Amino acid sequence: MYLISSRQMLKKALREGYAVPAFNVHNLETVQVVAETAARLASPVILAGTPATFSYAGTDYLVSICQEAARRHNLPLALHLDHHEELEDISHKVTAGVRSVMIDGSHLPFEENIRKVIEVVRFCLRYDVSVEAELGRLGGQEDDLNVSNTDSFFTDPLAAKAFVARTGIDSLAVAIGSAHGLYHGEPHLDFERLAAIREQVDIPLVLHGASGIPEAMVQQAIALGVCKVNVATDLKIAFADAVKSYFIQHPDANDPRKYIVPGKQAMQAVVEEKIQICGSAGKL
Ligand code: 13P
């Protein structure tokens, strides 16, 4: 079973008013949990990997595990390159079987970001690979990507219109107040800005940094055109907390087939909850 692009998934979500959750995966167990839960709930899902994850797991290993998950569950699965910055790296992973890409040029000046994205869009068109890009810049930490509050800035709606028209991307990641990693205090999303972006741009919008954002806020963002909701930290915390408490209760435990199980169960509950928040159950 091959891995699909996220183009049709996100277009359908936009037409029907829900979002596809994108879960960052790191290893066999995260892929198993996300794929099994998605299949059980008949939900489209995206499996996302940062450059650090692909380096950790090995591109061919990760692609093979995701392909097997798609085959085993007869599930149209997209494996997505999260926050990738170099065409050479992207082309290597597309050759390995990936069909969904984010080119992150959000740290670059506007024209350079556009140039970089166009280069990737041209390449990806040849392989029918979907492309997400980011305008504006999220704060917070995502693996090796660490952006301070002073370096983060929100997406400008008119710039977004020009960016989408000139690059031909499939989806746009917007900076409206969400941040990668943990929030210190209550997150605030700029819904007016999101509505203004939606007025200028008719492609699916992407909300990064969705861990820790209250359900009602995520749903409001979806109502305003967000079609992909990215979740990493909530899964990591659920897994780590459950495994830590297992070791507290079983200090002599040493069998990974046992101590990983509560971690997987805790991630499963998070995946179910996010699918429910996104309204994607039954949308396969
Ligand atoms: P969180 O870790 O805040 O959920 O962000 C995930 C993300 O946006 C991946 O790109």
Side-chain angles (χ1 to χ4, degrees), residues 204-252:
L205 303 177
V206 180
L207 182 68
H208 281 248
S211 293
I213 298 184
E215 171 170 348
M217 288 175 96
V218 175
Q219 287 181 334
Q220 195 171 344
I222 295 169
L224 290 169
V226 162
C227 303
K228 174 170 174 272
V229 170
N230 286 12
V231 178
T233 304
D234 278 347
L235 275 189
K236 287 183 188 167
I237 291 174
F239 179 82
D241 284 354
V243 174
K244 279 184 244 176
S245 76
Y246 184 87
F247 275 115
I248 289 168
Q249 284 156 30
H250 306 86
D252 297 329

Side-chain angles (χ1 to χ4, degrees), residues 100-118:
S100 179
V101 162
M102 175 192 193
I103 169 69
D104 184 357
S106 61
H107 53 292
L108 300 171
F110 186 68
E111 290 296 332
E112 271 181 58
N113 189 355
I114 288 193
R115 257 200 305 281
K116 185 133 219 168
V117 173
I118 287 177

Side-chain angles (χ1 to χ4, degrees), residues 14 41 61 71-72 86 94 114 145 211 244 248 271:
L14 181 61
L41 299 179
Y61 260 132
R71 189 203 63 76
R72 175 177 284 245
E86 298 304 329
V94 166
I114 288 193
L145 184 68
S211 293
K244 279 184 244 176
I248 289 168
V271 173

Side-chain angles (χ1 to χ4, degrees), residues 46-47 141 160 173 241 281 283:
I46 293 168
L47 306 171
Q141 175 138 22
D241 284 354
K283 298 292 188 180

Side-chain angles (χ1 to χ4, degrees), residues 265-277:
Q265 286 165 343
M267 286 196 293
Q268 182 188 311
V270 174
V271 173
E272 279 174 11
E273 185 199 356
K274 302 296 179 188
I275 286 175
Q276 177 262 318
I277 291 173

